[in-house]
């Protein structure tokens, strides 16, 4: 049986986490972005999203539809893996607000989760299952088991129903809090009460701000530490906020600017 804390074993703040591989420096959720984050920016963890293709393969992508990131349109789930592999996943990426598109026509493709796991066999990965499709959790669980990757992934969904199904099929894996469970933890704490105990989830993947309210504070850090919970905040691209979070000792910083975060971490002299 896999120990529940396998994913968290040996982790020390603050982790450098490339959000979608670094969505502001390379085409998001592609091997090109992931390699850049790992090889140039020394990321500690990749954050990515997965969907099911029409033929039941687990592919890495954030959106339900294709037009924002590729040269195609329409729902991702309507296409087979073979059809999706033909698309240009670097087509829309522009580092300068549409003046240039440096990755167009360079063979950038949507990768499968299996490809990512094999490309980075020792790296920890934060995996969000996107579609609310009954049975998707079983497909994902089978893939992770086949790849012997359960000890290095933390799983979850924004939607509580999906997250609960993932816990059910993989009870011994690391799971991050879904939206409602996360809100319950934070809101009760903000009200001066003890947050509810929930052994299903080990990691709080959470926004740094809710509106104008900064959610990370001493009380949250203390409550999480007392309960053995890890905190990763998203999506932090401002250098001043990076510096502050590093001083606070946050568990991990998810960023679309892994280049900038690496600069700030190296300048701070802190491990990571």
């Amino acid at each position: 049986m896999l120990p529940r804390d396998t994913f968290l074993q040996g982790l020390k703040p603050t982790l450098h986490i490339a959000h979608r591989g670094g969505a502001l420096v390379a085409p998001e959720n592609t091997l090109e972005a992931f390699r850049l984050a790992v090889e140039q920016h020394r990321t500690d963890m990749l954050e990515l999203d997965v969907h099911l293709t029409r033929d039941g393969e687990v592919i890495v992508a954030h959106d339900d539809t294709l037009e924002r990131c590729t040269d195609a349109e329409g729902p991702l789930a309507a296409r087979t893996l073979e059809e999706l592999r033909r698309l240009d996943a670097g087509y829309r990426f522009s580092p300068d607000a549409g003046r240039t598109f440096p990755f167009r026509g360079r063979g950038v493709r949507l990768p499968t989760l299996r490809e990512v796991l094999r490309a980075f066999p020792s790296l920890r990965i934060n995996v969000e299952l996107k579609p609310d499709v009954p049975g998707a959790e079983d497909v994902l669980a089978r893939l992770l088991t086949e790849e012997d990757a359960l000890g290095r992934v933390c799983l979850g969904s924004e939607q509580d129903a999906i997250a609960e199904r993932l816990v059910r099929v993989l009870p011994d894996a690391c799971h991050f809090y879904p939206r409602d469970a996360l809100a319950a933890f934070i809101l009760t704490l903000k009200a001066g009460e003890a947050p509810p105990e929930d052994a299903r989830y080990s990691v709080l993947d959470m926004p740094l701000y809710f509106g104008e309210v900064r959610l990370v504070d001493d009380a949250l850090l203390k409550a999480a530490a007392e309960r053995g919970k890890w905190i990763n905040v998203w999506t932090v691209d401002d250098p001043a906020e990076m510096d502050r979070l590093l001083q606070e000792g946050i568990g991990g910083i998810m960023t679309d600017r892994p280049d900038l975060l690496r600069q700030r971490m190296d300048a701070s002299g802190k491990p990571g």
Side-chain angles (χ1 to χ4, degrees), residues 207-257:
L208 179 56
Y209 283 88
F210 182 75
E212 298 297 318
V213 179
R214 192 176 192 272
L215 298 179
V216 173
D217 57 20
D218 290 342
L220 176 66
L221 296 170
K222 182 174 184 291
E226 290 174 347
R227 290 159 178 79
K229 310 292 187 182
W230 185 274
I231 301 177
N232 298 320
V233 294
W234 51 262
T235 305
V236 183
D237 300 326
D238 177 74
E241 286 289 4
M242 291 175 179
D243 291 344
R244 182 175 174 184
L245 287 164
L246 289 169
Q247 288 296 322
E248 291 170 326
I250 197 71
I253 300 174
M254 294 183 177
T255 183
D256 287 332
R257 289 291 310 272

Side-chain angles (χ1 to χ4, degrees), residues 68-79:
R68 186 175 64 84
C69 294
T70 78
D71 56 342
E73 297 180 351
L76 181 154
R79 303 199 183 208

Side-chain angles (χ1 to χ4, degrees), residues 138-151:
D138 297 305
V139 177
L140 180 56
R142 187 162 54 248
L143 185 155
L144 293 173
T145 301
E146 290 171 356
E147 294 297 319
D148 194 26
L150 287 173

Side-chain angles (χ1 to χ4, degrees), residues 121-218:
S122 61
L123 196 68
R124 286 179 172 86
I125 303 178
N126 192 97
V127 179
E128 180 170 353
L129 179 59
K130 283 293 185 181
D132 190 0
V133 178
E137 66 278 3
D138 297 305
V139 177
L140 180 56
R142 187 162 54 248
L143 185 155
L144 293 173
T145 301
E146 290 171 356
E147 294 297 319
D148 194 26
L150 287 173
R152 63 185 183 97
V153 296
C154 192
L155 307 168
S157 170
E158 182 183 10
Q159 300 183 52
D160 286 65
I162 299 175
E164 289 163 6
R165 296 202 300 267
L166 283 168
V167 171
R168 188 165 63 248
V169 297
L170 291 170
D172 298 317
C174 174
H175 296 268
F176 63 81
Y177 277 73
R179 180 177 52 206
D180 292 348
L182 177 63
F185 189 101
I186 294 173
L187 291 176
T188 53
L189 193 61
K190 292 292 184 184
E193 303 171 7
E197 296 292 340
D198 196 332
R200 296 173 298 178
Y201 308 116
S202 304
V203 175
L204 287 83
D205 283 352
M206 57 178 288
L208 179 56
Y209 283 88
F210 182 75
E212 298 297 318
V213 179
R214 192 176 192 272
L215 298 179
V216 173
D217 57 20
D218 290 342

Side-chain angles (χ1 to χ4, degrees), residues 48-61 76 79-81 84-85 110-117 127-131 135-144 146-147 155:
L48 55 80
D49 315 276
V50 296
H51 290 252
L52 289 188
T53 66
R54 194 178 79 198
D55 49 347
E57 297 290 335
V58 182
I59 199 162
V60 181
L76 181 154
R79 303 199 183 208
T80 65
L81 177 59
L84 291 166
R85 284 193 187 281
L110 297 173
T112 64
L113 179 59
R114 196 182 300 272
E115 288 173 326
V116 176
L117 291 170
V127 179
E128 180 170 353
L129 179 59
K130 283 293 185 181
E137 66 278 3
D138 297 305
V139 177
L140 180 56
R142 187 162 54 248
L143 185 155
L144 293 173
E146 290 171 356
E147 294 297 319
L155 307 168

